[in-house]
């Protein structure tokens, strides 16, 4: 039997596409949104042909005008590619997937931290480590470079959107 996938995508230039295997719920692929090429977005989605996709709708609010307009443009690209490939998808608000996954936090920073904690609980240790980013700093006392690995909130939120998509897809089966 051919593997099937769901896709969760957080909009924005720092958003990710996360593909989950529908049988195991494991993370198959994580990719940053390809800002440089609509063709790369098409090729990536075509490669996995997700049976169901959830896209996060952009938030419109004070202070988010430019961010939201970019996110609407990106949402349009996703919708266009998914329509071209004749794939099923829904665009939902962040409050919808957060409520389903019982993430209760007020304020952007607290929501990001709660998303990281929820991802740590829902995914295997191996998959959770895939949601980490490396970054470098210089230790001035020791005069050397250090490499750090910490959970990436954008990856975690995209993975949680994919997890939400998997739950909805399974409920519909």
């Amino acid at each position: 039997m051919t593997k099937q996938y769901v896709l969760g995508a957080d909009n924005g230039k720092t958003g990710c596409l996360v593909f989950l295997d529908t049988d195991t719920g494991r993370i198959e692929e994580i990719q940053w949104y390809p800002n440089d090429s609509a063709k790369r977005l098409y090729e990536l989605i075509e490669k996995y042909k997700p049976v169901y996709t959830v896209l996060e709708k952009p938030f419109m609010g004070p202070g988010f005008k430019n961010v939201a307009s970019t996110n609407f443009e990106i949402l349009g690209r996703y919708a266009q590619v998914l329509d071209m490939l004749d794939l099923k998808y829904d665009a939902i608000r962040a409050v919808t997937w957060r409520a389903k996954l019982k993430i209760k936090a007020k304020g952007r920073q607290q929501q990001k931290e709660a998303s990281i904690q929820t991802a740590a609980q829902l995914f295997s240790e191996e998959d959770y480590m895939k949601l980490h980013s490396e970054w470098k700093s210089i230790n001035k006392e020791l005069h050397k470079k250090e490499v750090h690995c910490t959970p990436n909130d954008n990856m975690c939120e995209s993975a949680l959107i994919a997890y939400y998509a998997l739950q909805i897809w399974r409920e519909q089966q």
Side-chain angles (χ1 to χ4, degrees):
M1 183 174 184
T2 308
K3 282 189 171 189
Q4 294 182 310
Y5 305 96
V6 293
L7 167 60
D10 189 359
N11 285 303
K13 293 186 179 201
T14 59
C16 294
L17 293 88
V18 176
F19 294 89
L20 297 183
D21 182 306
T22 58
D23 288 332
T24 64
R26 301 287 312 267
I27 295 173
E28 182 71 24
E29 177 90 29
I30 301 172
Q31 287 288 324
W32 293 105
Y33 174 77
N35 289 307
D36 59 341
S37 170
K39 182 180 178 187
R40 259 186 0 101
L41 177 64
Y42 180 91
E43 289 168 349
L44 182 61
I45 293 174
E46 182 185 40
K47 176 181 174 183
Y48 290 98
K49 291 188 176 81
V51 292
Y52 182 57
T53 297
V54 172
L55 307 169
E56 185 179 88
K57 278 186 183 176
F59 172 74
M60 291 292 285
F64 283 87
K65 182 180 178 187
N66 292 333
V67 172
S69 64
T70 299
N71 289 352
F72 272 114
E73 179 184 330
I74 291 169
L75 178 63
R77 285 191 195 126
Y78 278 121
Q80 185 177 30
V81 166
L82 292 163
D83 285 341
M84 288 169 57
L85 292 169
D86 197 27
L87 299 172
K88 185 178 180 198
Y89 68 94
D90 287 310
I92 62 159
R93 297 182 184 276
V95 295
T96 303
W97 66 262
R98 284 188 183 120
K100 176 94 173 166
L101 300 180
K102 297 177 177 44
I103 297 173
K104 297 176 183 175
K106 297 281 186 195
R108 188 166 170 80
Q109 191 57 41
Q110 290 81 5
Q111 288 170 342
K112 298 277 188 185
E113 290 169 13
S115 291
I116 290 169
Q117 291 171 357
T118 303
Q121 294 168 358
L122 294 177
F123 291 100
S124 68
E125 187 175 338
E126 180 183 344
D127 279 354
Y128 180 62
M129 290 309 295
K130 293 177 183 177
L131 303 174
H132 285 59
S133 291
E134 285 188 3
W135 54 280
K136 297 174 183 166
S137 67
I138 296 177
N139 183 322
K140 292 182 180 179
E141 286 182 19
L142 300 176
H143 304 285
K144 69 176 195 173
K145 291 181 184 177
E146 294 179 338
V147 178
H148 310 273
C149 187
T150 56
N152 182 295
D153 58 70
N154 292 310
M155 287 181 181
C156 288
E157 289 196 338
S158 296
L160 292 173
I161 295 167
Y163 189 87
Y164 169 87
L166 180 61
Q167 287 187 322
I168 298 303
W169 182 79
R170 286 179 174 168
E171 288 170 7
Q172 296 172 354
Q173 297 309 302

